Amino acid sequence: MNANLTLILTASFLCGTGVYLILERSLTRVLVGLLMLGNGVNLLFMVASGPAGEPPIIGSAHAEDMSDPLPQALVLTAIVIALGTTAFLLAMAHRSWQLNGHDDVQDDVEDAAIRLLAQADEASDSHDLSQELTTDDPGEDTFEEEGATT
Amino acid sequence: MSVDTTTLIPLPVVLPLLGAGLTLMLSHRPQAQRLVTISILTSVVAIASILVVEADRNGPQVLWIGGWASPLGIALVADRLSALMLLVSAVVTLLVLLYSLGQRMTDDQKEAPVSIYHPTFLVLVAGVSNAFLAGDLFNLFVSFEMLLFASYVLLTLGGTEARIRAGTIYVVVNMLSSSLFLIALAAVYAATGSLNFAQLAVRLDEVPDGTRLMLQLLLLTTFAIKAAIFPLSFWLPDSYPTAPAPVTAVFAGLLTKVGVYAILRVQVLLFPDSPLSGLLMWAALLTMVIGILGAVAQSDIKRMLSFTLVSHIGYMVFGIGLATQAGTSGAIFYVAHHITIQTALFLVVGLIEHRAGSTGLMRMGGLARLSPLLAVLFFVPAMNLAGIPPMSGFIGKVGLLQAGLAVGTPLSYALVAAGVVTSLLTLYAVAKTWGLAFWRTPEQAHEMMRALPGLEDDLDDSHHQHGFVIHRQHVHVGGTAFGTQELAEARRVVDEDQPDRDLHQRLEDGSLPARLPLGMVLPTAALIAFSLALTVVAGPLYGYTDRAAHDLQERTPYISSVLGDDR
């Protein structure tokens, strides 16, 4: 199979940028990342369908010259699904902004609590932990976002 | 039979989708909505039962949608495995829906708008059914998207802060896994020119080994995220517990099992020669052990159960990883058992939340005396989960362990050992919950809450008082440790100005509902009865799963009934 190098390079660029953006904290950037990744993946389908050809309509061209219509149908489905998910994520980012004043992806509260327990276990008995672990505000150092609620 | 049963195959997908549209139109008439949803889910149960009988008698039932010629169209296939999964999921979804109707009338009015609940739930059911029936990879992708989309909405119902926080992670993780799935689809199509399972099974044999391995790894990674297998399970215990009880129940029961089903289908049908046994078994081992250690550490029942869910996925992956008929059969039996039991437990947790006002172990006690019915409802599925004989959890585990011993490699022995340890630790985790929430009195729980903030000053000593030990900032009650988060919680409860109250105080106030609503109890009891029925019919059921596993390992029944005999 002859693959189109331009398509592959564009797809890999989009996927790479997408992954980089997904690693961000802000949900809007994550969303842009997911969209770029999705577009990159859709281009991969174009690579999978082989070289471009005539429109696949019976009577308009020879069967051998036609391009494969199936990957295009699959990509169309994928685009529609991505549209719906994007709208939903945007609504979530907006709701998050309404509630917290930001749209950052937040840590798991209970996980942080258990992480603190583990920290307490690592110190020896004679070590004074009360200096390091503030009991009234668990996760002071793990949730910087909580300060930014206004 | 005079009626062609293949025409029934699309109904478990089509009926719920039609119902979703209908209930959306009836959004101002809750009575009519209820009627439509219940009757549709009941008929799905009936159809699934017929399909189970048909698939068992006459082999895989195939329908090419729209009447396209054999390899061109979209195929729906109901073989023994699909039909069984369909039946179990249909029963579970029906009972969960009845439960949520019972709950809706009593509480949660604000947080869960009734009008969108029914349509979304029906779309979820359609997605799950479609995933079990899909005869090609792309249809599987579409059904994943259907059920995921419904789950996004159900998980964030009401849009409260906790649900948005948990939902964000859930949605992003699943979008990422969907992108991975699409990459896998593109790669599979480029390599073989088809996405139909049966055609792939034939064509993948001719693909070079390296390419095939890459395709297999891509698909496995995708499904492992859905099924929450260890290195990819981090998202689950965080996102599930915040949703309303019936939603968590149906997610825990079904969504991860759809992932397990996909792994099973792909492994045995598409890649029978290179099962990647070692990789899957290592993943199973880590999933079991790390999951259950997480469960032991939790101080909230919902989170504890979410971790046992992750842990017990390991059993099923173990069975699949063995790549023998006995292993596959054990895995299928365990999936059926685990769907019912995990859903039942989450429904019971919903009842506990209703009766005690919380699911935190710190603030509860004496539920056994307060509500003996609740205690029985928790005890039976909890013991079943841990695998106490003679219940179905025991039978499923014994089947898997025997299959592991039959293989006889060092790794399979290690997995058998890990399986036994996980079972014991599960028993420990549920027994801990039992001891704290059901056995001690609410006064004891309250005394401990009151004592906690006062004892902060002399934390460096360990000392005994009221039957618990303070040591290194942890409060030990029996084998359970509570930490800083719980201290803060205790301070909130003790502080007169805060609205936060524990069970003892709320009992004094009389602010808790005195009785469990019948509409919630009956479906829960029915589901537990169903799980016990799995024990009663375990013999025939195991025979059925053996035949299903035999078909899967043979591959020819599936391939020849989809592609037609070579004539």
Side-chain angles (χ1 to χ4, degrees):
Chain A
M1 185 178 97
N2 290 321
N4 186 332
L5 188 64
T6 324
L7 275 182
I8 294 180
L9 286 179
T10 321
S12 55
F13 173 76
L14 282 172
C15 288
T17 324
V19 169
Y20 179 79
L21 280 171
I22 289 172
L23 299 176
E24 291 279 332
R25 273 263 158 170
S26 157
L27 192 53
T28 359
R29 288 182 195 187
V30 172
L31 179 62
V32 173
L34 284 169
L35 283 177
M36 294 184 84
L37 182 64
N39 287 339
V41 175
N42 289 346
L43 283 183
L44 275 184
F45 270 97
M46 296 294 100
V47 178
S49 71
E54 300 291 315
I57 301 168
I58 295 173
S60 72
H62 287 295
E64 306 88 64
D65 301 333
M66 289 177 185
S67 52
D68 188 352
L70 188 61
Q72 300 182 14
L74 303 185
V75 167
L76 207 58
T77 317
I79 290 174
V80 172
I81 291 171
L83 175 76
T85 335
T86 308
F88 190 79
L89 257 188
L90 273 178
M92 280 183 70
H94 179 68
R95 181 71 182 150
S96 180
W97 177 78
Q98 274 185 334
L99 288 167
N100 303 321
H102 61 78
D103 66 345
D104 284 358
V105 179
Q106 290 165 53
D107 280 338
D108 181 353
V109 189
E110 300 273 338
D111 251 12
I114 288 175
R115 207 159 56 231
L116 282 174
L117 274 180
Q119 278 175 20
D121 267 344
E122 278 165 11
S124 76
D125 269 344
S126 53
H127 182 67
D128 183 16
L129 271 168
S130 52
Q131 302 294 316
E132 288 171 26
L133 299 174
T134 47
T135 47
D136 50 350
D137 187 10
E140 191 182 46
D141 45 1
T142 40
F143 306 114
E144 287 154 28
E145 307 89 284
E146 282 190 348
T149 43
T150 46
Chain B
M1 216 181 280
S2 57
V3 186
D4 188 7
T5 44
T6 53
T7 48
L8 291 177
I9 296 175
L11 290 184
V13 184
V14 173
L15 282 182
L17 278 183
L18 284 177
L22 199 58
T23 47
L24 200 59
M25 286 195 293
L26 294 171
S27 56
H28 295 293
R29 304 178 62 183
Q31 206 74 31
Q33 265 193 329
R34 253 173 257 150
L35 191 70
V36 170
T37 317
I38 292 175
S39 50
I40 281 178
L41 290 180
T42 318
S43 46
V44 171
V45 172
I47 293 164
S49 324
I50 297 174
L51 285 179
V52 166
V53 175
E54 271 307 297
D56 199 29
R57 273 201 205 134
N58 303 330
Q61 306 288 305
V62 184
L63 179 78
W64 291 90
I65 293 181
W68 288 85
S70 173
L72 284 179
I74 298 171
L76 291 182
V77 187
D79 64 348
R80 289 196 176 104
L81 170 64
S82 301
L84 178 68
M85 294 291 107
L86 199 61
L87 178 61
V88 176
S89 68
V91 171
V92 165
T93 42
L94 174 64
L95 291 173
V96 170
L97 185 93
L98 292 175
Y99 177 96
S100 58
L101 293 181
Q103 184 185 36
R104 208 141 303 279
M105 296 180 204
T106 51
D107 62 306
D108 227 6
Q109 289 284 9
K110 282 199 306 293
E111 288 194 350
V114 176
S115 54
I116 59 157
Y117 182 78
H118 287 262
T120 324
F121 195 87
L122 284 169
V123 172
L124 184 80
V125 174
V128 171
S129 306
N130 199 33
F132 290 143
L133 290 172
D136 66 90
L137 272 177
F138 197 76
N139 204 5
L140 188 64
F141 169 76
V142 171
S143 41
F144 269 136
E145 291 304 316
M146 272 164 77
L147 67 92
L148 282 177
F149 224 99
S151 70
Y152 299 158
V153 177
L154 289 175
L155 194 70
T156 51
L157 268 186
T160 60
E161 198 173 343
R163 285 180 191 169
I164 290 289
R165 186 192 66 76
T168 310
I169 295 165
Y170 180 78
V171 175
V172 170
V173 166
N174 278 303
M175 276 184 84
L176 198 61
S177 87
S178 297
S179 300
L180 258 180
F181 199 174
L182 275 176
I183 295 177
L185 286 177
V188 169
Y189 191 80
T192 63
S194 171
L195 291 173
N196 183 291
F197 279 137
Q199 268 188 319
L200 283 178
V202 178
R203 290 190 192 176
L204 273 172
D205 291 342
E206 294 148 24
V207 171
D209 282 350
T211 317
R212 198 169 52 204
L213 184 66
M214 189 202 74
L215 298 180
Q216 189 179 5
L217 281 173
L218 268 173
L219 288 172
L220 276 186
T221 314
T222 311
F223 300 143
I225 297 178
K226 315 267 186 212
I229 292 169
F230 162 61
L232 307 166
S233 63
F234 50 87
W235 56 270
L236 189 144
D238 186 26
S239 50
Y240 279 13
T242 46
V247 172
T248 315
V250 75
F251 283 14
L254 292 178
L255 298 198
T256 49
K257 306 309 180 302
V258 177
V260 173
Y261 164 82
I263 292 180
L264 180 59
R265 178 67 80 199
V266 166
Q267 275 295 97
V268 292
L269 190 59
L270 303 190
F271 306 100
D273 305 326
S274 57
L276 281 182
S277 276
L279 182 73
L280 273 179
M281 281 160 80
W282 274 112
L285 191 136
L286 292 172
T287 310
M288 281 198 271
V289 174
I290 292 179
I292 202 63
L293 289 178
V296 168
Q298 301 303 317
S299 63
D300 182 283
I301 305 183
K302 276 188 178 178
R303 287 184 64 88
M304 189 275 286
L305 284 177
S306 303
F307 274 97
T308 60
L309 167 64
V310 172
S311 166
H312 285 232
I313 295 288
Y315 281 107
M316 301 159 213
V317 181
F318 171 34
I320 299 170
L322 288 173
T324 60
Q325 191 186 324
T328 312
S329 171
I332 300 172
F333 184 88
Y334 206 86
V335 171
H337 148 77
H338 199 250
I339 288 179
T340 46
I341 211 67
Q342 196 74 43
T343 311
L345 275 169
F346 272 107
L347 291 185
V348 175
V349 169
L351 286 175
I352 293 178
E353 194 171 19
H354 180 81
R355 186 67 184 86
S358 141
T359 53
L361 284 176
M362 280 269 288
R363 52 178 71 196
M364 270 195 288
L367 287 178
R369 174 163 300 175
L370 203 62
S371 174
L373 175 65
L374 190 56
V376 173
L377 287 180
F378 179 78
F379 190 76
V380 174
M383 289 301 113
N384 199 344
L385 182 75
I388 299 294
M391 287 188 266
S392 54
F394 172 74
I395 299 167
K397 288 186 180 76
V398 165
L400 284 171
L401 298 185
Q402 276 177 341
L405 290 177
V407 169
T409 57
L411 187 56
S412 75
Y413 282 127
L415 266 160
V416 169
V420 174
V421 169
T422 306
S423 173
L424 279 176
L425 284 175
T426 309
L427 183 62
Y428 170 69
V430 292
K432 184 187 98 175
T433 308
W434 175 261
L436 288 176
F438 288 88
W439 218 233
R440 60 177 182 174
T441 64
E443 291 77 24
Q444 277 174 332
H446 185 62
E447 275 304 308
M448 199 185 84
M449 286 289 239
R450 284 179 60 84
L452 281 184
L455 287 172
E456 272 170 62
D457 307 330
D458 43 10
L459 277 172
D460 35 344
D461 289 323
S462 58
H463 58 111
H464 293 256
Q465 195 180 341
H466 302 296
F468 53 89
V469 186
I470 308 269
H471 180 61
R472 278 200 209 170
Q473 290 222 334
H474 299 231
V475 183
H476 294 267
V477 186
T480 317
F482 299 111
T484 44
Q485 185 85 9
E486 284 80 8
L487 280 176
E489 189 181 329
R491 202 168 302 113
R492 280 204 308 277
V493 168
V494 176
D495 190 351
E496 292 294 326
D497 301 331
Q498 303 259 7
D500 213 6
R501 290 286 169 263
D502 71 2
L503 180 59
H504 175 66
Q505 290 161 318
R506 297 191 64 171
L507 285 175
E508 303 265 292
D509 296 351
S511 65
L512 284 172
R515 296 179 57 243
L516 293 168
L518 205 60
M520 286 161 83
V521 172
L522 282 182
T524 316
L527 193 55
I528 292 171
F530 182 70
S531 74
L532 291 177
L534 285 185
T535 313
V536 176
V537 300
L541 184 61
Y542 229 109
Y544 181 90
T545 59
D546 270 340
R547 291 194 294 279
H550 178 75
D551 279 7
L552 287 175
Q553 298 286 343
E554 283 282 306
R555 302 207 296 159
T556 37
Y558 190 97
I559 297 173
S560 62
S561 52
V562 174
L563 294 182
D565 300 321
D566 298 322
R567 266 171 288 172

